[in-house]
Amino acid sequence: MTDQKIRWGIIGPGSIAKAFQGGVAGSKHGVLAAIATRDPNKPNLATDFPGARIVHGYDALLADPEIDAVYIAVPHTGHAEWAIKAAQAGKHVLVEKPLALSSHEMDAVFHAHRKAGTFAGEAFMYRLHPQTAKLGELIRSGAIGEVRMIQSSFGFSMGIFQPQHRLFASALAGGGILDVGGYPVSMARFIAGQAVGKPFADPVKVAGTAKLNAEGTDDWAAAVLTFENGIVAQVSCAVMANLDNVLRIHGSEGRIEVPDFWFAGGDRTKGLGRIDIIKKGQTETISVGEERHVYSFEVDAAAEAIFAKRNELAAPGMSWADSLGNARVLDAWRKDAGIEYSVEKASVRVNTLDNRKLGPNQGLIPKRSIPGLGKQASAVALGFEDFRSFASGAIMLDAFWEKGGNIFDTAFVYGAGYTETLFGQWHTNRGTREGSVLIGKGAHSPLVYPDVIAKQLTQSLDRLQTDYVDVYFMHRDNLEVPVGEFVDAMDAEVQKGRIRGPFGGSNWTKERFDEAVAYAERTGKTKPMALSNNFALSEMLEPIWPGCVTSSTDEWKQWLTDRQVTNFSWSSQGRGFFTDRAGRDKTDNEELVRCWYNDKNFARRDRAIELANQLGHSPIHIALAFVLAQPFPSIPLIGPRTLGELDDSLRAFDIKLTPEQVKWLDNG
């Protein structure tokens, strides 16, 4: 092992930072170089952090060339912000748990460090203590037989409710679930994973509850985690109740008990690591006998990862996937308990996740003209139906905007109206409405009638906090209603100024669209100019959902080209058909098999793979580039769930397919 030292800086000089300082001092590969504070006159800094330079301000520490890695010990609400800023400054980070307030925030942190090529780890220090490795060894060896149940708790009592204290205040993401609930959850997931020979396991079901205080944060809480292999874990936490704080692992042949596992049975300086194995009334006590500072192990584990140029901790430390899985459990627990921190709400979260004003609508996504639209629009549109909170959705909306994207796809039925609400909060909060191209949709089956259009649009505009949409689609068609009645209803909204750009149908046939255009021309009404049908390099063989229409056939392509109708293409990348999820020998995904599997589509997939290999891209990039390169106005809808997926999709803009390549991909 190298004798090189990692030069650490600490952001936030609180009690946990002092414990970490002790770990650095007791480590093999770390040295504390500096401590950053917003108050350099704070008493005892020199004695609490001996030998460290006192740096005024967190930004100054990140700019310091003498610092290799940063330990972030500010309150929870600053973890993601400063971890992202550290990545932008090229610094490695170890972030005190929880690494972020949610799995969405955490993913954004990891995305920033993935791009920067830097290390980021979540500081669950107990995971690196030798006690945890010994526990894993005992479980894997069958010391108590088959693991069946896990009980784990971490709870203490503050005595009295203190609404401004970080452990209670909603503005500081207080409560037990985030502060200490992650410990029993992470341990339960570790044990469940060890039982099947994996570093961790994620539960298939989470059911949580909590007692909330006047701040809306949890005083005490409990959850049940159910794992695929049948293991059930009961976890609990508290900031207003002294729990027994014992880990119990129940097996078919006995049980294991570990007191205060997060400090290895000790305190912030030393834990000997006591493990009791109880079988047939007899107790065998094992101690790893570790004398080192309990925080020293995570310091060295981080250093070893940095030396090896790894982005993440090695097991049993928390890898990125491990931390994300843990955060998703805490997200579900909070949701069941009804906890949304005030700092996560639209009225408060007026800046980006790294706490700056939203940047300009410029980036690698090009702009283009769309017939009937009076403003420039991005070459792709963003669908964001999967997001269910402002804090999570704003991360994706901000990123798409700053990459040059300005078309946003909403619908009356998406998320039972929440997608519209989210966009309304976002554009009002960020001041982006006039620069945005907003797609609205209504009249989804079974309510596909002319009078529904105005009624639903009124509700949509209220949720969207605007008085118009830029593009409007009927979400489905009803062939029992004369098409002219639908044209009349949409034209009426154009005349009211509530639709200010092209309108048309989503999942309409070309015959029905032609009939609608003919009616409008005959009666002097505004004619439909756009569609939102499925279109991709792979042809949808059967509707994914009832009433869906594909425009990927040869007849459809010719029709769109002849009429120059704009198509906003959903499932433009074949819903995974061009990824490793699909293949001639992979038949476990019912939707892929039913909707996309035939010889013609597989031949297209083969050609996409061949061209991708030639160009140094992935087949999914080729598939999106194909939709972008059509001889008619073609706007793909993309629905990334993470920033990594967004960046990956946008790699399609590196590819400029020729007309000959488009034809070859399609028909060989």
Side-chain angles (χ1 to χ4, degrees), residues 278-564:
I278 304 165
K279 299 171 69 173
K280 298 179 180 179
Q282 301 296 313
T283 299
E284 176 189 2
T285 298
I286 296 174
S287 174
V288 296
E290 186 55 64
E291 297 283 343
R292 287 177 59 190
H293 196 289
V294 293
Y295 282 79
S296 67
F297 302 101
E298 68 177 5
V299 175
D300 284 332
E304 289 164 10
I306 293 167
F307 294 150
K309 300 188 183 305
R310 296 196 314 267
N311 295 108
E312 56 192 330
L313 290 164
M318 301 281 278
S319 67
W320 288 2
D322 198 349
S323 285
L324 283 166
N326 214 59
R328 291 186 187 108
V329 174
L330 300 184
D331 289 347
W333 192 354
R334 274 213 288 146
K335 181 180 178 182
D336 282 356
I339 300 169
E340 181 184 22
Y341 304 118
S342 61
V343 71
E344 296 176 303
K345 296 181 178 179
S347 59
V348 176
R349 187 156 289 192
V350 296
N351 289 336
T352 62
L353 185 58
D354 54 342
N355 199 22
R356 56 178 174 77
K357 294 296 181 184
L358 183 67
N361 183 222
Q362 300 170 359
L364 59 86
I365 304 176
K367 296 290 198 303
R368 61 171 301 166
S369 297
I370 295 176
L373 186 67
K375 62 179 80 170
Q376 289 288 291
S378 54
V380 294
L382 179 71
F384 49 100
E385 185 184 355
D386 291 328
F387 296 96
R388 289 293 179 271
S389 70
F390 180 81
S392 62
I395 296 171
M396 181 61 66
L397 294 168
D398 288 348
F400 183 68
W401 176 268
E402 291 186 338
K403 292 180 185 298
N406 72 335
I407 308 180
F408 300 92
D409 181 51
T410 68
F412 182 82
V413 298
Y414 288 169
Y418 184 72
T419 300
E420 293 179 330
T421 298
L422 172 57
F423 182 78
Q425 292 173 334
W426 180 78
H427 84 75
T428 301
N429 182 301
R430 302 297 200 256
T432 55
R433 178 64 189 95
E434 290 306 307
S436 298
V437 175
L438 174 59
I439 300 173
K441 293 192 286 291
H444 194 290
S445 53
L447 299 176
V448 189
Y449 299 99
D451 63 329
V452 170
I453 292 172
K455 293 175 183 177
Q456 289 189 347
L457 185 55
T458 296
Q459 294 181 61
S460 290
L461 293 175
D462 182 60
R463 294 169 181 161
L464 290 162
Q465 299 185 47
T466 185
D467 56 1
Y468 72 99
V469 295
D470 297 280
V471 181
Y472 180 83
F473 294 114
M474 286 182 56
H475 216 151
R476 292 289 191 273
D477 194 7
N478 183 349
L479 298 179
E480 295 181 0
V481 176
V483 74
E485 295 184 25
F486 289 132
V487 173
D488 289 344
M490 288 186 280
D491 175 74
E493 298 307 317
V494 172
Q495 303 312 314
K496 295 175 186 175
R498 303 207 302 175
I499 299 174
R500 297 190 186 176
F503 68 78
S506 177
N507 300 297
W508 275 34
T509 66
K510 53 185 182 295
E511 294 79 13
R512 184 73 158 173
F513 192 88
D514 280 342
E515 185 183 351
V517 171
Y519 171 84
E521 291 176 340
R522 187 170 65 249
T523 59
K525 300 296 176 65
T526 309
K527 66 179 181 181
M529 298 181 67
L531 283 166
S532 184
N533 287 358
N534 166 249
F535 183 86
L537 175 55
S538 54
E539 179 184 334
M540 185 176 68
L541 308 174
E542 290 187 20
I544 299 173
W545 304 287
C548 290
V549 173
T550 182
S551 296
S552 298
T553 66
D554 292 339
E555 284 185 346
W556 260 108
K557 291 167 189 169
Q558 191 62 54
W559 182 90
L560 288 165
T561 302
D562 291 344
R563 287 160 176 74
Q564 288 297 294

